[in-house]
């Protein structure tokens, strides 16, 4: 038997080096031979490899879906005996995620830029762990949250909560694809009621400015109202331009509008109304975001980054939300940029302006013109015409300009914001006139503090300034007029504070306090008490039922305290069914005037049932 050749240490090293050099020369020789091949043959080979890769990817995704479906079906069997309920629900969420074969839609581009480095904290969607990280959860929820965000202990809304529903969350079910477009459905069927000790005829929507005083029989009358008009439908469309860029559109509607033919005696035929409709562009390479359309104002507090549908809104049943809540839904064009791994966000928005005038003491010609003491008229509004409803629309010269800074450290979410508004009117007389423009504005901030991350959080928000009262739920006036017809912005301040707890994944408990205040600005010409909060305005009849004396009662402040809870008592593949209860007390204090300083109040109990088929 021939023995194997042996090499000494000295002879082994040259031999290995020679072997490596020879192997390195072989590809060069092959490459020289292949240069004669045509470019067309190479392209055919690349196409063949791409087709094979696509088939393998499709087969792998199909196997993953079958595996997840089987695990979901056996969620109560012994194979999942050791897994928590939350983990089994996450497996269902994974099933909706794997329906999108992103690899199948994208073509391989040899000249494309190198993708970003892999984040080791984001695990593949088929990995199951008992304590998922925030990054793992958001990676599986690409249909709902497009922009990348940082871990702040607060996180996005749990999508089945009332706060998420108020902001416009879409479901983790009802997600499907039409070619390269992802379609996600959202919304719920709502059946809400309110029992209160005042008659307001506003349904489950508290209209604080319309609360009756003691001079009205409605102050002394209890009221029960119920309705389904706040049932909601939403739709999100999303398409991936490339691995970094995404374009999306969002629509949301309910039936909160009252048509001229609506009656509560027979049909209760409330009309659909537009809540939100906007397009959004997101670029994860440049961390740049753009939004255009009707959406929640940038002034509305948020809970993570500056991200659409992640506004921090109360979980209340009351459709008016909470006294002192800062918000508006209106047309806007918004640009946003985030920095430092999505921890710092800067946003700038131009938004549709309106000025809510109070013309106490002035003789009005319709809703449009106030007659001044010198006989001239000040035009502040114009009734809608054409396809616009006949309500008053204020004269405006420029959009509202809003800026916001949001910060997401490891603990909590913090925001500061500012707004510039431009009140505008025209004073006219026979043969002439002039325009008035008065700059106004203010600022505020908000924070969400995760006392126990994802379990208990504290929310605080506030806004103060001049001429911005309409950005609060109470809708206190922005401005009044002086004796010469020039807009006089009113000071306003509003704030909310609340504690929200999620003891388990079926129960949400909350408590809030909110308040909104309005300043005063007035003038007196002869016996005419003009303006808002004038001490000479008569309140003599406010406390006497059916009194013929005046009751001006310009509102100084509104305060509300409320507690409530939501219980998701049915949850499964069919969706979620939940019940809610809310107790609220509101107190309205008027400015002092001739005859005293009247006040009024209301106590309310709300009950609600909701079916969320897509959650």
């Amino acid at each position: 038997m021939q023995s194997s050749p042996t090499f000494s240490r000295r002879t082994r090293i040259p031999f290995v080096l020679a072997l490596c050099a020879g192997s390195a020369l072989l590809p060069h020789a092959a490459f020289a031979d292949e240069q004669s091949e045509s470019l067309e043959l190479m392209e055919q080979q690349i196409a063949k490899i791409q087709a094979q890769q696509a088939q393998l990817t499709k087969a792998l995704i199909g196997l993953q879906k079958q595996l997840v479906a089987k695990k979901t079906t056996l969620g109560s069997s012994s194979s999942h005996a050791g897994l928590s309920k939350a983990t089994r629900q996450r497996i269902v969420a994974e099933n909706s995620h794997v329906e999108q074969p992103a690899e199948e839609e994208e073509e391989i581009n040899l000249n494309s830029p190198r993708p970003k480095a892999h984040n080791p904290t984001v695990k593949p969607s088929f990995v199951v762990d008992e304590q998922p990280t925030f990054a793992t959860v958001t990676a599986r929820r690409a249909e709902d949250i497009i922009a990348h965000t940082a871990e702040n202990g607060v996180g996005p809304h749990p999508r089945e909560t009332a706060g998420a529903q108020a902001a416009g969350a879409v479901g983790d079910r009802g997600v499907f694809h039409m070619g390269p477009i992802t379609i996600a459905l959202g919304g719920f069927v709502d059946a809400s009621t309110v029992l209160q000790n005042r008659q307001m005829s506003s349904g489950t929507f508290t209209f604080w400015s319309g609360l009756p005083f003691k001079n009205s029989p409605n102050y002394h009358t209890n009221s029960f109202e119920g309705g389904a008009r706040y049932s909601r439908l939403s739709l999100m469309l999303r398409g991936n331009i490339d691995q970094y860029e995404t374009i999306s559109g969002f629509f949301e509607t309910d039936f909160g509008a009252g048509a001229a033919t609506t009656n509560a005696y027979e049909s209760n035929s409330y009309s659909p109304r537009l809540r939100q409709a906007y397009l959004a562009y997101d670029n994860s390479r440049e961390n740049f975001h753009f939004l255009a359309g009707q959406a929640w104002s940038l002034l509305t507090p948020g809970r993570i980054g500056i991200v659409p549908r992640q506004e921090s809104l109360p979980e209340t049943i009351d459709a008016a939300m909470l006294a002192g809540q800062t918000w508006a839904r209106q047309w806007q064009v918004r640009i946003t940029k985030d920095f430092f791994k999505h921890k710092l966000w800067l946003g700038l928005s131009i938004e549709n302006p309106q000025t809510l005038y109070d013309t106490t003491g002035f003789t009005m010609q319709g809703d449009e013109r106030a007659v001044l003491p010198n006989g001239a008229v000040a035009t502040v509004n114009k009734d809608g015409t054409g396809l616009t409803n006949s309500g008053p629309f204020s004269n405006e010269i420029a959009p509202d300009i809003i800026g916001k800074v949001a910060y997401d450290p490891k603990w909590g979410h913090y925001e500061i914001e500012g707004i510039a508004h431009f009140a505008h009117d025209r004073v006219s007389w026979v043969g002439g006139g002039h325009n008035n423009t008065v700059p106004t504005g203010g600022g505020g901030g908000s924070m969400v503090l995760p006392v126990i991350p994802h379990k208990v959080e504290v929310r605080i928000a506030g806004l103060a300034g001049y001429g911005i009262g309409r950005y609060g739920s109470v809708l206190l006036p922005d401005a009044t007029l002086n004796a010469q017809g020039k807009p006089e912005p009113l000071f306003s301040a509003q704030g909310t504070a609340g504690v929200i707890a999620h003891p388990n994944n079926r129960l949400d408990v909350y408590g809030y306090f909110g308040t909104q205040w309005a300043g005063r600005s007035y003038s007196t010409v002869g016996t005419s008490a003009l303006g808002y909060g004038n001490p000479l305005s008569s309140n003599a009849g406010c406390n006497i039922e059916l009194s013929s004396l005046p009751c001006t009662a310009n509102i100084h402040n509104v305060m509300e305290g409320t507690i409530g809870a939501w219980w998701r008592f049915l949850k499964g593949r069919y969706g979620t069914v939940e019940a809610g209860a809310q107790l609220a007390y509101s107190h309205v204090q008027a400015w002092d005037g001739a005859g005293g300083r009247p006040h009024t109040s209301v106590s309310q109990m709300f009950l609600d049932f909701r079916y969320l088929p897509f959650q």
Side-chain angles (χ1 to χ4, degrees):
M1 182 176 178
Q2 186 175 3
S3 62
S4 300
T6 60
F7 300 94
S8 66
R9 180 179 180 87
R10 180 173 300 177
T11 57
R12 270 202 309 263
I13 295 175
F15 178 83
V16 172
L17 292 176
L19 201 59
C20 293
S23 61
L25 292 175
L26 288 175
H28 291 281
F31 179 77
D33 294 337
E34 290 172 2
Q35 284 196 354
S36 59
E37 295 183 4
S38 66
L39 181 61
E40 182 180 358
L41 179 59
M42 294 177 64
E43 290 177 345
Q44 291 176 356
Q45 291 175 346
I46 292 174
K48 183 178 180 180
I49 294 172
Q50 288 178 345
Q52 293 174 348
Q53 183 181 18
Q55 292 177 357
L56 290 173
T57 300
K58 186 174 181 180
L60 177 61
I61 291 173
L63 290 173
Q64 289 179 358
K65 293 197 313 188
Q66 293 177 17
L67 178 62
V68 173
K70 182 164 291 188
K71 287 184 178 180
T72 304
T73 306
L74 300 177
S76 59
S77 67
S78 60
S79 63
H80 276 175
L83 297 181
S84 67
K85 190 169 187 181
T87 301
R88 293 197 298 270
Q89 292 172 349
R90 286 176 43 244
I91 296 175
V92 178
E94 293 165 7
N95 190 22
S96 66
H97 173 76
V98 298
E99 291 177 0
Q100 180 188 2
E103 295 85 355
E104 189 175 335
E105 297 171 3
E106 295 183 0
E107 295 182 358
I108 297 177
N109 186 352
L110 299 178
N111 297 320
S112 63
R114 184 177 180 181
K116 291 185 177 180
H118 172 65
N119 184 356
T121 63
V122 181
K123 296 178 179 140
S125 61
F126 51 82
V127 174
V128 178
D129 53 0
E130 282 294 315
Q131 297 296 331
T133 65
F134 174 83
T136 312
V137 176
T138 56
R140 281 194 287 267
R141 292 186 171 182
E143 292 85 0
D144 190 35
I145 303 172
I146 298 173
H148 296 171
T149 54
E151 167 63 78
N152 63 359
V154 178
H157 282 292
R159 284 180 291 177
E160 69 276 5
T161 63
Q165 297 157 25
V170 296
D172 48 10
R173 298 177 177 84
V175 179
F176 55 97
H177 305 277
M178 295 183 64
I181 304 300
T182 298
I183 301 175
L185 303 177
F188 52 85
V189 178
D190 180 90
S192 57
T193 62
V194 60
L195 176 64
Q196 52 196 354
N197 64 341
R198 309 282 184 253
Q199 173 66 42
M200 285 190 288
S201 299
S202 60
T204 53
F205 179 97
T206 302
F207 187 53
W208 291 277
S209 298
L211 268 178
F213 286 83
K214 294 178 182 179
N215 63 328
S216 170
N218 292 325
Y219 177 90
H220 309 277
T221 305
N222 291 345
S223 171
F224 175 87
E225 295 184 71
R229 60 194 296 189
Y230 296 111
S231 299
R232 194 172 304 166
L233 293 171
S234 59
L235 171 70
M236 188 188 78
L237 308 170
R238 191 191 81 238
N240 298 325
I241 301 173
D242 55 33
Q243 59 182 327
Y244 302 111
E245 298 173 282
T246 300
I247 189 75
S248 61
F250 182 74
F251 302 87
E252 185 181 48
T253 184
D254 65 11
F255 304 88
T261 57
T262 299
N263 72 79
Y265 303 106
E266 187 174 44
S267 64
N268 292 276
S269 304
Y270 295 98
S271 301
R273 64 172 182 169
L274 180 66
R275 286 175 58 89
Q276 298 188 76
Y278 60 83
L279 64 90
Y281 166 80
D282 293 273
N283 189 318
S284 62
R285 179 202 292 273
E286 304 297 336
N287 296 323
F288 173 81
H289 317 276
F290 172 84
L291 182 148
Q294 180 167 310
W296 294 98
S297 169
L298 188 61
L299 274 184
T300 309
R303 59 182 292 114
I304 187 166
I306 302 178
V307 181
R309 301 186 306 281
Q310 290 302 318
E311 291 79 15
S312 180
L313 302 172
E315 289 76 7
T316 54
I317 299 171
D318 188 351
M321 293 190 285
L322 177 69
Q325 175 69 34
T326 299
W327 72 278
R329 286 192 307 270
Q330 57 196 12
W331 174 92
Q332 61 192 275
V333 174
R334 179 196 304 181
I335 57 173
T336 309
K337 173 79 172 174
D338 63 270
F339 306 87
F340 308 120
K341 297 182 179 179
H342 321 298
K343 292 183 178 181
L344 178 66
W345 295 67
L346 304 180
L348 180 66
S349 180
I350 59 170
E351 304 192 7
N352 198 53
Q354 284 291 288
T355 304
L356 183 59
Y357 285 96
D358 178 271
T359 54
T360 299
F362 293 91
T363 300
M364 295 298 296
Q365 298 177 349
D367 293 324
E368 299 183 5
R369 292 183 290 274
V371 179
L372 304 177
N374 61 8
V377 295
T379 302
V380 295
N381 296 317
K382 174 69 173 68
D383 284 345
T385 57
L387 298 180
T388 305
N389 61 296
S390 60
F393 291 78
S394 61
N395 297 348
E396 302 295 340
I397 195 171
D400 288 355
I401 303 173
I402 301 173
K404 176 181 282 189
V405 178
Y407 182 52
D408 289 314
K410 292 184 178 180
W411 192 84
H413 176 76
Y414 308 89
E415 296 182 350
I416 57 173
E417 63 259 347
I419 176 174
H421 174 67
F422 306 92
H424 183 76
D425 76 348
R426 180 169 178 82
V427 175
S428 305
W429 54 86
V430 176
H434 66 268
N435 297 333
N436 296 305
T437 301
V438 180
T440 69
S446 65
M447 62 181 70
V448 183
L449 307 176
V451 179
I452 303 177
H454 310 296
K455 287 291 186 181
V456 179
E457 62 188 40
V458 174
R459 301 179 192 169
I460 302 171
L463 180 70
Y466 285 86
I468 54 175
R470 78 173 181 95
Y471 282 97
S473 287
V474 180
L475 277 177
L476 294 180
D478 297 319
T480 185
L481 299 174
N482 64 17
Q484 292 74 42
K486 184 178 181 179
E488 287 290 335
L490 296 172
F491 176 79
S492 67
Q494 61 203 46
T496 60
V499 179
I500 303 89
H502 311 285
N504 55 55
N505 61 359
R506 288 182 177 266
L507 183 64
D508 303 323
V509 182
Y510 60 85
Y512 286 100
F513 172 80
T515 184
Q516 187 169 353
W517 297 62
R520 67 202 309 183
S521 179
Y522 55 87
S523 56
T524 302
V525 179
T527 59
S528 299
L530 309 177
Y532 192 81
N534 195 316
L536 297 182
S537 295
S538 178
N539 293 330
C542 292
N543 294 322
I544 305 171
E545 188 170 359
L546 291 181
S547 173
S548 60
L549 298 174
C551 179
T552 304
N554 291 148
I555 294 177
H556 181 203
N557 63 74
V558 176
M559 290 183 281
E560 180 188 9
T562 185
I563 57 173
W566 288 94
W567 174 40
R568 291 176 284 278
F569 58 92
L570 289 176
K571 187 172 178 63
R573 299 181 63 185
Y574 44 80
T576 298
V577 184
E578 61 185 3
Q582 178 192 352
L583 299 176
Y585 173 79
S586 297
H587 181 271
V588 177
Q589 180 70 62
W591 277 108
D592 57 294
R597 191 183 182 196
H599 62 84
T600 185
S601 62
V602 62
S603 298
Q604 301 166 295
M605 180 175 67
F606 297 85
L607 297 173
D608 198 359
F609 288 96
R610 286 182 181 177
Y611 171 46
L612 290 74
F614 309 114
Q615 305 285 6

